[in-house]
């Protein structure tokens, strides 16, 4: 799941690290300037001219348990859609607004094909999977808030974010003893966005090619039915941008046709805030109706 990953990345706490010792200036771009810093981020991860951006991501999920070696559980394929717009309130201050969505499915580790049913290698229980959806999440991005500490090696530039978020769990253990990991839920993310300084500094470029990677540590996914077992899942993924909707592979288009036919065409394909945990609770109301 990218569930909340992108939004929590954008809204996360200040970044660690410093700009690399090599100069952060190129073709007039100064990454130490908050406005130009955010402009480079918008070009790399989104589109500084505004509009929809599509980012693909894929990876594997491992179970991490105390005293045990990590156990590979499933793979996944996802597609983020983010709507970018520059803001002009009070003058062109270099700010942007974004609206974020994510959708995807889980895959067999051996074949890469979509999994509709899955045998948990830890509990040996065979279970239905469910697609993941995340969004609608909106954010206002302002220069310097948070600061983004770019690094550079030659023409390679990258920026890393490390947000950690905790909150009361949506699925209460007394109502969902098999699906809830307990009363507390958390996300811990390390995400790196990488590109070319020559591209993000080019005034003619508004959306530069992107390569990104991340790890996300969170509680057991509800459909895995791991209950309050000690441990967590770690998502390890990578991705990039599609230049146009037509670049989305046919296999993923078939998934969208089944689960969310308007995902590529609609400005806002998800009208309400969606997460895997909320979707699971909606599809599986608690037995006592509370």
């Amino acid at each position: 799941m990218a569930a909340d990953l992108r939004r929590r990345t954008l809204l996360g706490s200040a970044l660690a690290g410093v700009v690399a010792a090599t100069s952060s200036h190129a073709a007039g771009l100064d990454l130490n300037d908050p406005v130009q810093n955010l402009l480079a981020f918008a070009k790399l991860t989104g589109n500084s001219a505004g509009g929809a951006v599509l980012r693909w991501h894929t990876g594997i999920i491992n179970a991490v348990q105390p005293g045990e070696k990590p156990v590979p559980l499933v793979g996944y394929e996802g597609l983020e859609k983010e709507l970018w717009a520059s803001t002009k309130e009070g003058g062109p201050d270099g700010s942007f607004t974004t609206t974020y969505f994510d959708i995807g499915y889980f895959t067999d580790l051996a074949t890469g094909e979509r999994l509709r049913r899955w045998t948990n290698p830890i509990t040996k229980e065979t279970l239905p999977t469910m697609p993941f959806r995340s969004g609608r999440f909106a954010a206002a991005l302002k220069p310097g808030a948070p600061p983004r500490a770019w690094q550079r090696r030659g023409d390679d530039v990258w920026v890393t974010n490390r947000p950690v978020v905790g909150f009361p769990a949506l699925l209460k253990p007394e109502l969902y003893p098999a699906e809830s990991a307990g009363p507390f839920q958390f996300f811990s993310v390390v995400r790196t966005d990488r590109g070319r300084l020559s591209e993000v500094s080019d005034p003619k470029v508004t959306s530069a090619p992107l390569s990104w990677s991340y790890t996300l540590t969170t509680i057991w996914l509800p459909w895995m039915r791991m209950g309050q077992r000690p441990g967590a899942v770690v998502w390890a993924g990578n991705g990039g941008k599609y230049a146009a909707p037509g670049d989305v592979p046919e296999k993923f288009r078939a998934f969208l046709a089944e689960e969310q036919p308007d995902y590529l065409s609609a400005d806002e394909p998800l009208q309400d805030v969606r997460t895997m945990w909320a979707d699971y609770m909606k599809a599986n109301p608690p037995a006592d109706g509370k």
Side-chain angles (χ1 to χ4, degrees), residues 5 12 19-20 45-46 52 57 66 78 102 138 165 172 211 253 270 280 287:
L5 169 59
V19 175
T45 67
H57 60 110
D102 186 28
V165 180
K172 307 303 181 185
S211 175
R253 285 176 171 275
L270 304 177
Y280 187 90

Side-chain angles (χ1 to χ4, degrees), residues 62-74:
N62 287 322
V64 178
Q65 305 171 92
E68 303 284 344
K69 66 179 182 180
V71 178
L73 297 176
V74 290

Side-chain angles (χ1 to χ4, degrees), residues 63 65 71-74 115 117-129 178 220-227 229 233:
Q65 305 171 92
V71 178
L73 297 176
V74 290
L115 278 175
R117 293 188 66 80
W118 168 76
T119 299
N120 188 323
I122 296 174
T123 66
K124 310 306 180 185
E125 187 177 11
T126 299
L127 304 161
T129 69
W220 305 118
L221 307 187
W223 55 269
M224 292 181 173
R225 290 175 54 89
M226 298 283 273
R229 177 186 298 266
V233 294

Side-chain angles (χ1 to χ4, degrees), residues 149-193:
W150 292 81
Q151 296 200 40
R152 175 188 173 191
R153 297 293 185 273
D155 197 35
D156 290 327
V157 289
W158 65 94
V159 61
T160 300
N161 208 339
R162 304 176 181 89
V164 177
V165 180
F167 48 93
L170 182 60
L171 296 185
K172 307 303 181 185
E174 63 271 20
L175 299 178
Y176 292 92
E179 297 91 344
S180 173
F184 188 73
Q185 191 164 343
F186 65 88
F187 293 90
S188 175
V189 180
V190 179
R191 170 172 172 155
T192 298
D193 296 293

Side-chain angles (χ1 to χ4, degrees), residues 40-105:
F41 183 77
K43 287 184 175 186
L44 182 60
T45 67
N47 190 332
S48 62
V53 175
L54 298 174
R55 293 184 298 261
W56 60 269
H57 60 110
T58 183
I60 65 170
I61 299 176
N62 287 322
V64 178
Q65 305 171 92
E68 303 284 344
K69 66 179 182 180
V71 178
L73 297 176
V74 290
Y76 61 92
E77 299 279 348
L79 181 64
E80 297 182 342
K81 181 174 186 175
E82 192 165 54
L83 309 176
W84 283 74
S86 61
T87 59
K88 304 295 183 181
E89 297 180 8
D93 64 353
S95 297
F96 294 89
T97 60
T98 64
T99 308
Y100 165 84
F101 312 88
D102 186 28
I103 191 170
Y105 56 85

